[in-house]
Structures are given as structure tokens and as C-alpha cells.
């Protein structure tokens, strides 16, 4: 047996023998420093592109022996690292031999990028799926059907989800995986045909698409509560109003444990996962925007997840996130460009308890693991600037989730700043109507415009202070479901467009 086969066999044995994650204390955000240093030295010795990169920046690997020295190692980005070297040079030994497959990024911020990966990379990600499926959904004791609703093919989400859940099934959990991809008709067929044989059904997908599945199922008479639906989500920040709305439509009863958002990327798989503990904190802060602003330094509500610093070591840089982690292309101090921050477990709970809220009350260690927190706003390129105010899609989303609005929209929209014939600037929101909703009702556009204005004034202090009152009400246009110009099906949706 060659070295590669031995490494894979050892990794599989370790994964299958390991208890569910989260039971042990993994420490605070600095708890993974030793592991990050070990990976740095190993990558500097074995990856040709990284050796060249360090040499160009005058870095002697032998001198990087402490956390302070590590913090001075130059950052990696797609532009300065991944796209500068041939793909094999980014891998150990300058070879692609260890990559059984490749994943492709969605290209939401540029050209799609190829990421080689192996079964060992899948096992690291499978541990995060294990945390979600066991810690939140109790899939260790409930017969569970996981329906993969992410796009399949080269794109990372669907294939990673299917692979991770199959590893968990092989580990002994009562999990079965179905892979209809983002074919809505096939998803509903699978749920209705197979769902009755399981105690719960997990819909795994991109939040707006999963909402479309739930809404379409209701229209077609699917009895969602019968199937004990759970949601495994990734790819987008969503509001607690969204969680409540979709949960009620799917017949879900426990908002802390019935849905889980994964913080994942094509670059490194899943970096962190929501837990009942993190959801409890987020829902508390959703009702306390003053406390959320104090904690996150921003009026928006980010995705809040817990992570294992032993496998993904996080740092912050000018309000954005860096991580160090192993993979087909090992990455050291990789600047992922997501805005966000970090907080140790004890500090987060102390912050909440000072406000009179104990988020861990009543939760066991699987639901409230002693892991540090990372919060993620997304990338600033997804904002629009209007009268000097940065407007975020999250500010608009909550308006579409209001009672009286949510029944006739899907939740998708496009936000942009447009110039009229008079060259005056106006805020434009094009929203997607739910299937069957009438497109010729001007009262609905006016109602949504007023709701968006109210939420922007409530949530965005820049908007309230910078934008003149006469320009605060957006111009709203309603488009039918699947409109090819704004909402083409089976394409990852972008909520903003460049000014025009």
C-alpha cells in the first residue's frame, strides 16, 4: 500500500472512530495557533507555489515560530496566489495526484475558480455536517432523509453535501441521501415518495431556493408537517424573520434546532455551522439592535456560527476574515474577503448574560458546544451606495418577509441605484413575484416600497441620516417568477447590480 492510500485509510479510521464533535472544549479563537503554525511549516516545505510566494515576500519560514511571527506572514488571495501559479504548483509536491475530484466556485465575485480536493478534505467537512445533523437535528436517533437541493455537477455545494452525508451514513447514522439537485419537481416527488419512510426530512439548499420548494409544495398540496422538515442552508445571510416565516410554512416547531446555516466556501468547504446556541443568541440580538450593534459593530445582523479552530484557524484583518486550513490547495492566512469578526465562547456568553439572557440554558453539549464564534456579513461588494449611505441586501430582505407582503413575493430581489432622464439618482428594487401572484397590482408595489423605506430607516442609520426624505422611498418593480432578465432559474442569485 502506498503512502497516499495509507493516509486515506488512517483518515477514514480516525473519522469513523471519532465521537460526535463539540463535546470537548476547543478553546477560544487563539486555540488553534499551534496547528496553524504546523501547517504553515509543512506547506512551506511541500508546496512549490507557497515556497515561491514566501521567497518573493522575503519570508524565512524558519523564523516563523510564534503567534506574533505568524501574524506577520503575508496574506493569500485569489489574485495574489491562486491565479498567479499553475494549478499543480498550488498542491503538495507540485502534483494533482492526490486530488480525486475538483470543485468549482460559483464565481459570484468574479470568474469561477477550480479547487482540487480529496476524500480527506471531505472528511473535515463531514465533521461540520455531523455537528449540524446530530447537534441540531438529532440524526443519531432519528431516521433521516437528506434531500440535496443544491445544484449538482462541478459546483461545490451539492457534491460536497452529498459526499459528507454519505460519510455520515457509512459511519452508522440512520441517514439516507437523495440527490435531485435543484430540480423542483423531482425534489417534491422524492419527498412525497420517500419521506413517509423516515422520521424527518432535511432539505439542504440555498435559502431562496429552499423557500421556493416549500412554497411550491404548499401550492401542490404537500403536507410538510407530516414529514418533520428540517432545513440545512448555505450560501447566504438570512434574517430571523425569514427563519420564522419559512419554518411556519414548513410546519417546523423549534426555531433553534430545526434549521441550520452553514458558513461554507468552495475554497475550504464548511468553515463553521450554526448551533442551537448560536441561533438562540442571534434571535435574541434580532430583537435588540442596540446590543447587536455593540457586539458586531454594525447595524446589520450577520450569520453567526461556531467553528473548530483545530481545523480552521480564523483571524481578522481590517474588519474582514482570514483563515488557515488544510485541503487539496492548503491555504495559510487566506483572505476570504468576508466582513466579520470573532469572539471566544466564554466572552460571547458573558456578553449575553450581562443583558439578562442565558443562551445556553436548557441546551446540552451537543446543542451548545464550547466552540468559539465567528460572524459573517458577506462581502462589501454586494452593497450599493446611495447618497453616501451603504445599503445592504439584508436591510431590504426583512421588508419582503413582512406579513401582508411575504405571501406574494418569493424573497428574491435586485437592488441597484439608477439614473433617470433628469440624471437624478433613485433607489431601485426589482422583486420577484410568487408563482400565480398578479403582476398588475400597483398597490402591491406601493406597499412594498413603503415597507422597504420603513425598514431602511429602522435598520440603517446612514440611510436615515444621509438620504433626503424625498429620495427615501425606492422605486419598486414587480417581475414574474423566473423572469429571465432578473431571476433566471438555476443560477445563483445576486441581490445587487452595478449602478446605471
Amino acid at each position: 500500500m502506498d503512502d497516499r492510500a495509507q493516509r486515506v485509510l488512517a483518515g477514514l479510521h480516525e473519522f469513523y472512530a471519532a465521537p460526535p464533535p463539540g463535546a470537548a472544549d476547543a478553546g477560544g479563537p487563539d486555540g488553534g495557533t499551534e496547528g496553524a503554525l504546523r501547517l504553515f511549516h509543512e506547506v512551506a516545505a511541500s508546496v512549490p507555489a507557497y515556497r515561491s510566494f514566501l521567497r518573493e515576500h522575503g519570508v524565512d519560514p524558519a523564523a516563523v515560530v510564534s503567534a506574533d511571527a505568524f501574524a506577520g506572514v503575508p496574506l493569500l488571495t485569489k489574485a495574489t496566489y491562486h491565479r498567479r501559479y499553475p494549478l499543480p504548483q498550488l498542491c503538495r509536491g507540485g502534483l494533482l495526484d492526490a486530488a480525486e475530484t475538483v470543485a468549482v466556485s460559483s464565481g459570484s465575485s468574479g470568474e469561477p475558480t477550480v479547487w482540487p480536493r480529496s476524500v480527506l478534505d471531505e472528511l473535515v467537512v463531514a465533521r461540520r455536517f455531523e455537528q449540524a445533523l446530530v447537534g441540531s437535528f438529532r440524526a443519531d436517533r432519528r431516521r433521516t432523509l437528506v434531500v440535496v437541493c443544491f445544484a449538482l455537477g462541478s459546483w461545490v455545494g451539492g457534491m460536497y453535501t452529498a459526499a459528507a452525508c454519505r460519510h455520515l451514513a457509512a459511519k452508522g447514522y440512520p441517514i439516507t441521501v437523495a440527490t435531485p439537485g435543484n430540480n423542483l419537481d423531482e425534489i417534491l416527488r422524492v419527498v412525497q415518495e420517500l419521506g413517509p419512510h423516515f422520521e424527518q426530512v432535511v432539505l439542504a439548499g440555498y435559502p431562496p431556493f429552499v423557500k421556493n420548494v416549500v412554497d411550491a409544495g404548499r401550492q401542490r398540496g404537500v403536507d410538510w408537517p407530516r414529514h418533520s422538515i428540517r432545513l440545512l442552508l448555505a450560501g447566504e445571510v438570512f434574517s430571523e424573520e425569514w427563519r420564522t416565516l419559512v419554518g411556519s410554512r414548513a410546519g417546523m416547531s423549534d426555531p433553534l434546532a430545526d434549521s441550520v446555516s452553514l458558513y461554507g466556501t468552495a475554497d475550504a468547504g464548511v468553515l463553521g455551522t450554526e448551533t442551537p446556541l448560536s441561533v438562540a443568541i442571534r434571535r435574541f440580538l434580532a430583537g435588540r439592535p442596540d446590543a447587536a450593534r455593540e457586539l458586531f459593530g454594525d447595524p446589520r445582523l450577520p450569520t453567526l456560527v461556531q467553528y473548530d479552530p483545530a481545523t480552521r484557524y480564523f483571524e481578522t484583518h481590517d474588519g474582514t476574515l482570514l483563515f488557515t486550513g488544510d485541503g487539496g490547495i492548503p491555504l495559510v492566512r487566506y483572505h476570504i474577503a468576508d466582513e466579520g469578526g470573532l469572539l471566544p465562547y466564554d466572552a460571547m456568553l458573558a456578553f449575553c448574560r450581562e443583558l439578562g439572557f442565558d443562551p445556553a440554558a436548557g441546551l446540552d453539549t451537543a446543542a451548545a458546544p464550547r466552540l468559539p464564534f465567528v460572524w459573517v456579513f458577506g462581502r462589501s461588494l454586494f452593497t450599493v451606495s446611495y447618497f453616501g449611505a451603504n445599503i445592504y441586501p439584508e436591510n431590504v430582505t426583512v421588508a419582503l418577509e413582512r406579513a401582508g407582503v411575504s405571501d406574494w413575493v418569493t424573497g428574491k430581489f435586485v437592488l441597484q441605484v439608477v439614473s433617470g432622464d433628469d440624471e437624478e439618482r433613485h433607489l431601485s428594487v426589482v422583486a420577484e413575484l410568487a408563482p400565480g401572484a398578479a403582476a398588475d397590482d400597483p398597490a402591491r408595489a406601493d406597499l412594498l416600497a413603503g415597507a422597504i423605506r420603513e425598514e431602511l430607516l429602522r435598520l440603517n442609520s446612514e440611510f436615515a441620516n444621509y438620504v433626503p426624505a424625498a429620495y427615501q422611498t425606492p422605486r419598486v418593480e414587480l417581475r414574474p417568477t423566473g423572469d429571465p432578465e432578473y431571476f433566471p432559474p438555476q443560477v445563483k442569485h445576486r441581490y445587487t447590480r452595478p449602478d446605471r
Side-chain angles (χ1 to χ4, degrees):
M1 184 181 296
D2 63 18
D3 290 345
R4 176 186 170 192
Q6 289 179 341
R7 287 196 304 272
V8 171
L9 186 61
L12 289 168
H13 181 270
E14 181 181 358
F15 173 78
Y16 290 126
D25 184 357
D30 294 330
T33 304
E34 286 189 17
L37 280 167
R38 282 196 302 272
L39 181 63
F40 165 78
H41 287 289
E42 196 266 324
V43 173
S46 64
V47 176
Y50 197 59
R51 281 200 303 272
S52 297
F53 179 83
L54 293 178
R55 188 163 54 247
E56 290 172 9
H57 286 81
V59 176
D60 177 8
V64 181
V65 295
S66 67
D68 287 343
F70 184 75
V73 171
L75 312 185
L76 302 182
T77 68
K78 284 182 183 177
T80 63
Y81 186 63
H82 190 289
R83 293 176 184 150
R84 284 192 59 217
Y85 299 93
L87 191 61
Q89 296 294 300
L90 299 164
C91 305
R92 287 178 172 84
L95 300 170
L96 283 168
D97 295 11
E100 291 104 25
T101 186
V102 295
V104 179
S105 69
S106 65
S108 60
S109 59
E111 291 297 315
T113 305
V114 175
W115 299 95
R117 75 168 192 246
S118 72
V119 68
L120 295 179
D121 304 329
E122 292 175 352
L123 295 178
V124 174
V125 172
R127 285 290 281 176
R128 304 281 67 79
F129 278 86
E130 186 176 14
Q131 185 172 24
L133 288 165
V134 175
S136 292
F137 302 157
R138 306 300 181 180
D140 54 335
R141 64 190 74 165
R142 298 172 182 162
R143 294 189 311 278
T144 301
L145 174 66
V146 176
V147 182
V148 179
C149 306
F150 291 107
L152 301 174
S154 296
W155 309 110
V156 64
M159 300 300 288
Y160 244 140
T161 300
C165 292
R166 288 188 66 187
H167 285 304
L168 295 178
K171 189 172 180 175
Y173 293 113
I175 293 171
T176 299
V177 185
T179 55
N182 57 353
N183 183 322
L184 192 149
D185 292 335
E186 184 67 7
I187 292 167
L188 296 180
R189 188 193 70 78
V190 165
V191 169
Q192 291 178 287
E193 182 174 330
L194 298 180
H197 302 298
F198 295 85
E199 293 175 87
Q200 62 182 355
V201 174
V202 177
L203 301 178
Y206 182 49
F209 182 73
V210 169
K211 180 178 180 294
N212 289 351
V213 171
V214 171
D215 289 343
R218 294 175 76 215
Q219 287 186 329
R220 301 185 194 184
V222 176
D223 184 2
W224 289 120
R226 174 191 181 195
H227 300 298
S228 297
I229 295 297
R230 308 289 183 261
L231 304 182
L232 189 62
L233 308 162
E236 182 178 296
V237 179
F238 55 82
S239 69
E240 289 306 312
E241 289 88 349
W242 187 96
R243 194 193 306 268
T244 299
L245 172 68
V246 178
S248 67
R249 291 183 180 180
M252 295 154 61
S253 60
D254 184 355
L256 302 189
D258 286 349
S259 60
V260 172
S261 180
L262 305 175
Y263 174 30
T265 71
D267 322 55
V270 177
L271 296 166
T273 176
E274 280 190 334
T275 61
L277 175 65
S278 73
V279 175
I281 294 169
R282 192 172 190 262
R283 290 179 74 81
F284 170 71
L285 294 173
R288 292 287 303 272
D290 55 333
R293 185 178 292 106
E294 179 184 350
L295 179 62
F296 303 128
D298 194 289
R300 295 173 291 159
L301 192 65
T303 295
L304 179 66
V305 302
Q306 293 183 266
Y307 71 98
D308 180 2
T311 58
R312 297 293 184 259
Y313 176 71
F314 275 104
E315 301 171 84
T316 57
H317 173 75
D318 293 336
T320 60
L321 296 170
L322 317 174
F323 74 84
T324 296
D326 204 354
I329 297 178
L331 297 170
V332 177
R333 307 201 76 221
Y334 182 71
H335 189 211
I336 198 167
D338 284 334
E339 297 179 59
L342 310 171
L343 200 66
Y345 174 92
D346 289 335
M348 177 65 83
L349 266 65
F351 177 86
C352 292
R353 287 165 179 162
E354 287 175 4
L355 297 172
F357 173 61
D358 185 356
L363 300 179
D364 61 19
T365 54
R370 291 187 61 86
L371 293 168
F373 293 83
V374 57
W375 63 84
V376 190
F377 288 112
R379 298 176 187 177
S380 59
L381 61 88
F382 296 134
T383 66
V384 300
S385 180
Y386 185 54
F387 286 90
N390 287 321
I391 300 176
Y392 303 89
E394 300 97 309
N395 300 154
V396 177
T397 294
V398 291
L400 279 77
E401 292 158 358
R402 282 187 172 191
V405 174
S406 60
D407 288 339
W408 44 267
V409 295
T410 66
K412 289 183 184 178
F413 60 90
V414 173
L415 174 67
Q416 62 187 142
V417 176
V418 300
S419 297
D421 295 336
D422 54 6
E423 292 302 318
E424 285 194 318
R425 310 286 275 164
H426 301 280
L427 189 64
S428 166
V429 177
V430 180
E432 183 182 43
L433 287 163
D440 56 355
D441 186 347
R444 284 181 168 175
D446 292 342
L447 176 63
L448 181 54
I452 293 171
R453 178 180 181 274
E454 290 175 14
E455 294 297 347
L456 285 170
L457 289 171
R458 182 176 72 90
L459 297 170
N460 191 318
S461 59
E462 286 187 354
F463 180 88
N465 288 283
Y466 297 174
V467 180
Y471 293 87
Q472 289 177 348
T473 302
R475 295 182 176 181
V476 169
E477 180 183 356
L478 303 176
R479 295 273 185 127
T481 308
D483 178 84
E485 182 180 356
Y486 283 90
F487 309 107
Q490 299 186 359
V491 173
K492 185 172 182 180
H493 183 62
R494 286 199 61 171
Y495 286 86
T496 60
R497 287 190 179 183
D499 296 356
R500 62 175 176 83

